[in-house]
Amino acid sequence: MEYEFTTAADIKKLCSKHKIKISELAKRYESERAGVSHVVVRNRMKKTRDVIWEAIENGIGNKKKSDLKMSGGDAAKMYAQLTNMRDMMSNRVCVRAMAYALAIGEQNALMGRIAAFPTAGGAGVVPGVLFSSSQHFHAGKRRLLRAMFCASAVGIVIASGATISAAKGGCQAEVGAAAAMAAAGLIEMQNGTVEQCFDAAAITLKSYLGLVCDPLGGLVEVPCIKRNSIAAMAAIGAGDMVMAGIKSFVPFDEVVRAMKNIAETMSPKLRETALGGLAATPTGNKIKKKLGLPIIK
Amino acid sequence: MYYKLTKKINLLLMEERYSIFDIAGPIMVGPSSSHTAGACKIGQYARALFNKTPKHVVFYLHGSFGEVYKGHATDKALLAGVMKFQTGDPRMKDSFKIAKEKGIDFDFKVKSLGPNYHPNTVRIDMESASEKMSVIGSSIGGGVIEIVKINDFKVSLRGIAGKYFSLVVKHDDKPAVLKSLTAILKSLEVVVSKVDSVKFRNKVLTVLSSQGKAPKLKEVIEMEKIEGVDFVRALTKLDK
């Protein structure tokens, strides 16, 4: 297999050997793996992109609350702020990214159609960052697609080296992984180098190491949805640092190894079981009571 | 003989490399891959095995399914699956209404099925005018499901929500049947990436999963005409 990779080192080697970007490598990897043409691979990603865009549009236009009234309507509030930027500290890209990330999370909670990117719990981060920044750059649909391919390649490195399941590794494996992917995709959209992509991914993932998965009542709503939108800001921040010339001191592959380490020592109570953390607070117990689940003292 | 063979193939495929679309996808209806997407897939399998739309369905929710099914919309997803909806079908949230319009009588009951089952398990009892069938399936995480019992018969059929397009085939216990089936799929340029077989009474149930192209309805009907094949069921709604 010519385009096989599982680590960032593999990706760097292959990219410099073939003089290609990460996105092109990801496309060739998939077409080789599945035995289909590049066109088929690109069309599948286009479909993912369209589903995401539909979810964003539905989300920012939605004012309905979820069944337990834990989420809903926040994306619309955030998006409305774009017309009143004077009250905002961050710029339009960030505000829009946060609105988009909230939109996807809320749609997921409301049983709307989404693309798990890389999982349902962290599905808002990559769309938030990449769709908002592509609008900022007036980037064509192709450039957005390239950034999505780049982000997915980084996701494969994390999934192969550690995990992307919160049941195994806590939230660092879902929202953390998604933020790292988004940061790398953002750098590729800005025509950064392969090294820069992994620097941004490493800086982001380092900030999310150890984050636990403790959703109220086990539902993917609180704190997941807002966590997605904050993670989008983190990814944009890391991207800016890298564009300013800052590098990650620890290489990405080592950060992934650290994440695996942490995942293995993390208590099962903090891995999607709703037995610890925020899930075990009085507010968390209230939700559990509504769902008829046992209360934690 | 070929059970062992297919088992070996599957073991090899377990170490299959990640697809880009394992990361950028699957496209699904929220909120949970195990409680929503997986539940829908179990429903699809039950519907495929029953081979017709049931008049009356009862879902017995076991373990975690019984505890949190409301918050995760497991009930809507199961019913949607029985009506052949895809795991990414946005109509899933209206599945109760659609089922009523179709005249399907349904009921959900919380019931422990015994200690030997995975926490996310459901028993689906389906009934039509002339037939009855009961299917037990578990959602074992990340959208992966396993059908463990058909009527009183223990089986083990695995499927993955949103990843594969699957064909369920009931056929005679002869390797030649499966061979001619895969030959047809090959001629249709359908790449089979997973084969799962299990003995069912004196017949064999096989699940063929493909990731790329899916066969069309016409082609599936053609496949049913092979000698020794009882039925071929496509597990997601066919395009066009």
Side-chain angles (χ1 to χ4, degrees), chain B:
Chain B
M1 234 295 281
Y2 61 91
Y3 304 115
K4 276 185 192 159
L5 190 73
T6 52
K7 247 185 195 160
K8 242 184 209 164
I9 294 169
N10 278 339
L11 270 178
L12 284 174
L13 286 162
M14 286 291 264
E15 292 162 337
E16 186 187 28
R17 290 186 288 157
Y18 280 98
S19 158
I20 285 286
F21 299 105
D22 289 339
I23 308 295
I27 291 163
M28 57 172 267
V29 167
S32 163
S33 56
S34 56
H35 284 66
T36 321
C40 177
K41 199 81 190 171
I42 296 176
Q44 285 177 11
Y45 267 74
R47 164 69 176 74
L49 293 164
F50 191 53
N51 211 351
K52 59 172 72 68
T53 304
K55 278 257 162 259
H56 187 81
V57 210
V58 186
F59 300 89
Y60 295 94
L61 304 156
H62 165 86
S64 167
F65 264 18
E67 282 166 18
V68 297
Y69 74 98
K70 270 190 185 143
H72 286 104
T74 309
D75 45 358
K76 288 176 188 162
L78 281 166
L79 190 60
V82 171
M83 293 188 293
K84 273 169 86 176
F85 286 12
Q86 279 182 314
T87 44
D89 197 318
R91 291 177 299 166
M92 199 187 282
K93 61 178 164 212
D94 303 319
S95 66
F96 281 15
K97 211 177 84 193
I98 297 170
K100 267 177 205 150
E101 281 166 12
K102 286 191 175 178
I104 301 171
D105 183 27
F106 58 91
D107 198 5
F108 294 89
K109 285 178 183 155
V110 177
K111 187 183 176 186
S112 172
L113 299 173
N116 297 330
Y117 292 103
H118 187 279
N120 297 336
T121 298
V122 59
R123 191 176 100 202
I124 306 177
D125 287 2
M126 291 162 292
E127 244 184 273
S128 73
S130 56
E131 274 179 83
K132 257 188 190 179
M133 188 187 238
S134 163
V135 173
I136 299 184
S138 309
S139 178
I140 54 184
V144 183
I145 65 121
E146 188 174 13
I147 300 294
V148 291
K149 226 174 188 185
I150 303 171
N151 293 338
D152 290 328
F153 215 84
K154 270 192 187 154
V155 294
S156 170
L157 287 176
R158 285 199 170 194
I160 301 181
K163 185 170 182 184
Y164 294 113
F165 176 90
S166 306
L167 291 172
V168 179
V169 189
K170 189 176 170 198
H171 57 91
D172 289 351
D173 192 359
K174 286 176 199 146
V177 182
L178 203 59
K179 233 181 227 169
S180 48
L181 246 174
T182 39
I184 291 189
L185 287 170
K186 209 172 175 187
S187 72
L188 295 169
E189 290 175 19
V190 175
V191 186
V192 177
S193 41
K194 221 168 161 302
V195 186
D196 235 333
S197 278
V198 70
K199 246 182 185 270
F200 184 66
R201 301 224 167 96
N202 54 350
K203 300 274 180 172
V204 177
L205 280 170
T206 298
V207 180
L208 299 162
S209 307
S210 80
Q211 264 188 296
K213 221 178 118 184
K216 294 196 175 69
L217 184 59
K218 212 165 56 188
E219 292 158 356
V220 172
I221 292 167
E222 264 324 290
M223 274 181 253
E224 277 193 323
K225 289 179 187 159
I226 302 174
E227 213 189 302
V229 172
D230 284 13
F231 67 71
V232 181
R233 292 279 119 190
L235 267 195
T236 41
K237 216 173 140 197
L238 294 166
D239 288 336
K240 275 155 210 170

Side-chain angles (χ1 to χ4, degrees), chain A residues 46-216:
Chain A
K46 274 184 190 164
K47 197 174 170 211
T48 308
R49 182 193 63 199
D50 295 343
V51 168
I52 290 174
W53 186 238
E54 194 189 287
I56 289 176
E57 282 190 321
N58 289 340
I60 54 181
N62 166 64
K63 296 213 168 109
K64 226 170 75 186
K65 291 252 178 206
S66 68
D67 283 352
L68 286 167
K69 312 269 178 255
M70 283 202 284
S71 66
D74 292 341
K77 274 183 204 158
M78 203 69 212
Y79 193 70
Q81 277 302 322
L82 282 170
T83 56
N84 183 19
M85 284 302 290
R86 256 188 301 171
D87 291 346
M88 296 284 111
M89 277 293 146
S90 46
N91 69 356
R92 293 183 72 84
V93 184
C94 295
V95 172
R96 197 164 46 209
M98 282 193 276
Y100 288 178
L102 289 170
I104 302 262
E106 287 178 1
Q107 279 302 299
N108 183 48
L110 284 168
M111 287 194 82
R113 188 165 66 154
I114 59 142
F117 208 138
T119 55
V125 188
V126 178
V129 173
L130 298 185
F131 282 64
S132 171
S133 47
S134 89
Q135 284 176 325
H136 171 72
F137 293 129
H138 298 291
K141 285 183 173 176
R142 261 169 181 258
R143 221 162 122 198
L144 173 59
L145 219 57
R146 281 214 303 267
M148 286 169 70
F149 270 114
C150 172
S152 310
V154 175
I156 286 181
V157 172
I158 301 172
S160 316
T163 174
I164 51 164
S165 157
K168 281 192 189 142
C171 197
Q172 56 169 355
E174 297 211 6
V175 169
M181 288 159 59
L186 179 60
I187 297 292
E188 168 135 2
M189 199 187 285
Q190 290 172 274
N191 281 323
T193 63
V194 176
E195 281 77 18
Q196 280 179 318
C197 287
F198 281 111
D199 275 330
I203 291 172
T204 319
L205 193 56
K206 278 192 290 184
S207 318
Y208 276 94
L209 288 181
L211 191 65
V212 300
C213 178
D214 50 358
L216 270 54

